[in-house]
Amino acid sequence: MEGTILRTEDFSAYYNNNQVLKNITFSTPKNLVTALMGPSGCGKTTLIRCVNRMHELIPDAKVSGKMYLMDKDIYSMEPIVLRRKIGMVFQKPNPFPTMNIYNNVIAGYKLNGIKMPRDNSDAIVEQSLKSAGLWNEVKDFLYRKGTFLSGGQQQRLCIARALAMKPEILLLDEPTSALDPKSTAHIEELIVELKKTQTMLLVTHNIAQAARISDYTAFLYLGELIEFGPTEKMFTVPKDRRTEEYLTGKFG
């Protein structure tokens, strides 16, 4: 696929002897949203945890097959270097509670020991918060703790923190599941806006959300990639009976 950022080839993941991902092959196109969809326990979160190599932090976890970021083998890269190139936003907003908003945004630089002039960090903070649609709401409170913000604002702060490192790809693990409908709509609008400059891999159990904001969808079931393709096509004429049954609510 032209302009591919992330690519997997026959990729499998295991916990002990339990195979949770089975020979997954797909590509994530540049500056689009690819949704990972499927019922609970199908392997969605495991897959994105393999992308930033958090999976291997679990005892007795292992992988096989290939995974590439911009044609570089993810599993031959230093994890610290890799994680600078891959942004991650989790289900629950998790700003660092001891840090103010400003330092939350540039936390990635601080944690990596990257020093820069104040003018540079000011510019990164402002640009990242603008990209996350949060600047106007917090520009007068940059030195207050991030935890004083609402849940939706905290999640946008976490997105700003991820964007500050200028990642090749942004992983979003059910980023709206802990938010109210209004905050969810705000995050969805933000994701659509971010596609102009950012490639995203979105884990969602929300079928309607995948339909609204993703360009491509991968449907996983029991660790297998059942179907992958343009979202609109999959949602209107799914090729596999299991995809159709999931989309029509017969299981999930």
Side-chain angles (χ1 to χ4, degrees):
M1 192 181 289
E2 192 179 336
T4 294
I5 298 287
L6 177 74
R7 180 165 52 91
T8 70
E9 292 176 1
D10 284 329
F11 189 84
S12 299
Y14 307 80
Y15 296 110
N16 294 315
N17 295 320
N18 180 27
Q19 187 173 3
V20 288
L21 290 175
K22 300 168 184 172
N23 306 103
I24 305 286
T25 297
F26 78 105
S27 299
T28 304
K30 186 174 183 178
N31 289 8
L32 293 174
V33 175
T34 298
L36 292 176
M37 191 178 68
S40 295
C42 71
K44 305 184 297 288
T45 294
T46 298
L47 181 55
I48 64 164
R49 287 174 67 89
C50 288
V51 176
N52 72 355
R53 295 186 53 183
M54 285 173 66
H55 173 71
E56 68 198 54
L57 302 175
I58 298 164
D60 299 317
K62 60 182 181 179
V63 301
S64 64
K66 293 289 188 183
M67 187 178 281
Y68 300 95
L69 180 70
M70 303 284 286
D71 289 326
K72 287 185 182 166
D73 185 340
I74 281 175
Y75 284 82
S76 68
M77 296 169 73
E78 283 289 330
I80 290 173
V81 174
L82 173 74
R83 289 182 194 129
R84 284 182 200 159
K85 297 174 182 290
I86 296 173
M88 180 85 176
V89 177
F90 297 91
Q91 284 183 343
K92 289 189 177 161
N94 62 339
F96 295 119
T98 59
M99 289 186 187
N100 59 36
I101 291 169
Y102 185 102
N103 285 331
N104 256 287
V105 176
I106 55 167
Y109 292 89
K110 289 180 175 292
L111 294 170
N112 281 289
I114 300 168
K115 292 184 168 62
M116 58 186 152
R118 180 70 187 207
D119 286 356
N120 287 27
S121 62
D122 285 352
I124 288 169
V125 168
E126 182 173 345
Q127 183 53 52
S128 302
L129 288 169
K130 281 180 174 174
S131 295
L134 193 57
W135 174 251
N136 288 335
E137 293 163 54
V138 302
K139 63 184 179 187
D140 298 325
F141 310 107
L142 293 176
Y143 300 102
R144 288 178 70 176
K145 294 276 173 63
T147 45
F148 98 95
L149 299 170
S150 71
Q153 288 174 319
Q154 286 187 31
Q155 194 63 302
R156 282 184 281 142
L157 176 58
C158 293
I159 291 171
R161 184 175 69 198
L163 293 174
M165 297 299 289
K166 299 180 174 59
E168 306 279 3
I169 189 168
L170 186 60
L171 309 178
L172 302 153
D173 188 3
E174 299 198 22
T176 62
S177 63
L179 303 179
D180 61 70
K182 188 176 177 185
S183 297
T184 294
H186 212 134
I187 297 284
E188 287 185 2
E189 287 166 16
L190 172 60
I191 290 170
V192 171
E193 179 65 22
L194 282 173
K195 284 194 296 192
K196 292 172 185 172
T197 56
Q198 190 68 54
T199 305
M200 287 166 280
L201 188 57
L202 167 75
V203 169
T204 183
H205 66 277
N206 184 329
I207 293 170
Q209 182 173 76
R212 282 193 297 267
I213 64 172
S214 72
D215 303 284
Y216 282 79
T217 295
F219 172 57
L220 278 75
Y221 181 59
L222 299 177
E224 290 183 46
L225 179 60
I226 304 300
E227 194 165 339
F228 175 71
T231 300
E232 190 177 355
K233 192 171 180 185
M234 188 185 297
F235 277 58
T236 49
V237 281
K239 292 177 186 165
D240 192 283
R241 175 182 51 79
R242 290 164 293 183
T243 312
E244 185 177 358
E245 288 178 354
Y246 180 72
L247 291 172
T248 54
K250 292 204 172 118
F251 68 88

